[in-house]
Amino acid sequence: MYAPSSILIGIHSGVQLLSLYHDSLLARAISRLPGIQKPHPTSHNRYTQFWTQKSPIYKRIALILRMVQYTELLWEMAAKRKGERVRWRVVVLLEVVKAVCRLLLLRSTNSRPLLSPPLPERELDPSKLDGPSSGGDEMHQGIESPSSIRFDELGWEMPRTGLWLPKLPDSSDISDYLLSKVLTADDIKPPKVLLHRVTGQGQLAECLYILRPVLYALAMQHYSGDKKSWTPWLFGLSIEYGSRQLAKKDFHERVAGGLRGLTGLEREELKKRGWAFGWWAMRGAFYENITKSCLQSVAGKLRNKPLLDMVGGVIEDYEYLWDQYYFASATM
């Protein structure tokens, strides 16, 4: 089971690393598009693009963090071949590296909460960039014949100037199209203020959130001989829950309107962290004592049943990873 899993994880890690380079190429191509063709960036991308362009240090650290996240499970698999002691040392080391990166990102953004992911996300289908680039080769000096005018997903290319006009929406999508053009309060804010700075207990909450994986990994290393021990699980859960409650209390006291006064980007990040909180059901003692038996029961009931047997096989494959590796259920 180890060999197929390690090969698949290695391929997955390689694809993820390649996607980082691909995203950088797409970002350069999008930056050269005429303004009318550029996709409307999300608040997340506006904020992260601002910091990656303003601070080279932020960009380098964020890249290192993403590279570690993409390869951490592969490193753990390699370390496990040399024994459990080496494996846990590598796990703790990787968590320390990630925590240092996050603390440096926190400092480089002047104590603003971290986003996940810290780099801009892909927003445009790469195939849509083929239209304008290929159209430039067909342009000649002067006015071209009507046969050279091309229509595609991007819209219409004007033959004399080479500029593009966006395609009109379908009549059934007029409302959605108009709503997509409406500017919200977050759209007109400078990217820097899309996240409030944290101070006092808010900064303490963010630091606890960053250090939680390190402290939990150390506790898991200490109790590695007893996988069903509840101590590391309760310790890690209490730290993350405490940091979340501290952050909410800080927002209520410092932000006008409390949680309602948060920007859309801050609400989005809080929601992501809330969903990630559910992964505690797949970790430590909770997984060993409760979740594991439930998954085995479900997989057993689906076995030898048409189509459903495939679902049971997927559950069993992932069960092996969750049972054997720490980073299989990591969310940071």
Side-chain angles (χ1 to χ4, degrees), residues 7-210:
I7 293 173
L8 290 175
I9 295 300
I11 294 173
H12 179 265
S13 299
V15 170
Q16 294 288 355
L17 291 174
L18 186 61
S19 71
L20 285 176
Y21 176 68
H22 192 198
D23 288 347
S24 67
L25 295 181
L26 282 176
R28 294 177 192 173
I30 292 173
S31 66
R32 291 195 294 265
L33 288 174
I36 198 170
Q37 292 177 228
K38 291 182 180 179
H40 183 68
T42 63
S43 297
H44 176 276
N45 278 13
R46 287 182 61 218
Y47 179 83
T48 51
Q49 284 172 359
F50 169 80
W51 285 109
T52 53
Q53 292 171 3
K54 178 184 176 182
S55 173
I57 295 177
Y58 177 96
K59 185 176 181 180
R60 293 192 190 100
I61 296 173
L63 278 172
I64 293 172
L65 177 59
R66 293 302 281 170
M67 290 172 67
V68 173
Q69 288 176 320
Y70 288 152
T71 58
E72 59 191 8
L73 184 54
L74 193 62
W75 285 112
E76 184 181 1
M77 284 183 165
K80 188 177 177 67
R81 301 179 67 177
K82 296 184 178 181
E84 285 296 309
R85 181 174 296 182
V86 176
R87 173 201 164 206
W88 279 112
R89 286 178 180 174
V90 170
V91 167
V92 172
L93 176 63
L94 291 175
E95 289 292 12
V96 169
V97 170
K98 292 193 294 181
V100 171
C101 288
R102 291 189 176 101
L103 289 172
L104 291 175
L105 290 177
L106 182 67
R107 180 177 177 83
S108 63
T109 57
N110 297 322
S111 298
R112 287 178 172 82
L114 303 181
L115 290 183
S116 179
L119 292 172
E121 297 177 301
R122 186 180 302 181
E123 293 182 312
L124 184 66
D125 184 357
S127 63
K128 293 185 179 181
L129 296 176
D130 295 339
S133 59
S134 60
D137 298 334
E138 299 177 359
M139 294 301 296
H140 304 283
Q141 292 183 353
I143 300 177
E144 288 201 285
S145 62
S147 61
S148 66
I149 299 174
R150 301 184 296 106
F151 293 88
D152 63 6
E153 294 181 0
L154 286 173
W156 177 59
E157 183 184 13
M158 294 183 285
R160 187 169 62 86
T161 62
L163 298 178
W164 282 70
L165 291 176
K167 184 177 69 173
L168 292 176
D170 296 333
S171 58
S172 59
D173 298 332
I174 292 295
S175 297
D176 293 336
Y177 174 79
L178 292 176
L179 287 174
S180 68
K181 301 299 179 182
V182 175
L183 293 178
T184 64
D186 289 347
D187 291 329
I188 60 177
K189 288 181 179 178
K192 191 175 182 178
V193 301
L194 289 175
L195 290 181
H196 292 91
R197 292 183 61 185
V198 290
T199 56
Q201 63 182 2
Q203 194 168 23
L204 174 62
E206 196 66 17
C207 289
L208 283 175
Y209 178 76
I210 292 171

Side-chain angles (χ1 to χ4, degrees), residues 139-297:
M139 294 301 296
H140 304 283
Q141 292 183 353
I143 300 177
E144 288 201 285
S145 62
S147 61
S148 66
I149 299 174
R150 301 184 296 106
F151 293 88
D152 63 6
E153 294 181 0
L154 286 173
W156 177 59
E157 183 184 13
M158 294 183 285
R160 187 169 62 86
T161 62
L163 298 178
W164 282 70
L165 291 176
K167 184 177 69 173
L168 292 176
D170 296 333
S171 58
S172 59
D173 298 332
I174 292 295
S175 297
D176 293 336
Y177 174 79
L178 292 176
L179 287 174
S180 68
K181 301 299 179 182
V182 175
L183 293 178
T184 64
D186 289 347
D187 291 329
I188 60 177
K189 288 181 179 178
K192 191 175 182 178
V193 301
L194 289 175
L195 290 181
H196 292 91
R197 292 183 61 185
V198 290
T199 56
Q201 63 182 2
Q203 194 168 23
L204 174 62
E206 196 66 17
C207 289
L208 283 175
Y209 178 76
I210 292 171
L211 295 175
R212 191 277 303 164
V214 178
L215 299 176
Y216 176 65
L218 287 171
M220 288 291 290
Q221 181 186 31
H222 183 74
Y223 288 89
S224 58
D226 184 10
K227 296 178 69 174
K228 293 189 176 182
S229 173
W230 285 93
T231 303
W233 189 85
L234 291 172
F235 179 62
L237 181 73
S238 61
I239 293 175
E240 185 160 342
Y241 180 78
S243 68
R244 186 173 176 82
Q245 294 304 113
L246 271 177
K248 287 184 176 181
K249 184 180 179 183
D250 181 64
F251 284 137
H252 278 297
E253 295 178 355
R254 191 171 47 83
V255 178
L259 293 178
R260 293 183 179 180
L262 298 179
T263 64
L265 184 58
E266 288 172 324
R267 289 194 295 270
E268 179 184 343
E269 181 61 25
L270 277 178
K271 188 181 296 184
K272 284 183 181 179
R273 296 186 183 187
W275 281 108
F277 198 77
W279 274 94
W280 282 101
M282 307 301 298
R283 296 183 188 136
F286 196 98
Y287 174 80
E288 293 293 335
N289 296 310
I290 300 174
T291 310
K292 186 177 180 178
S293 59
C294 293
L295 290 176
Q296 290 174 342
S297 175

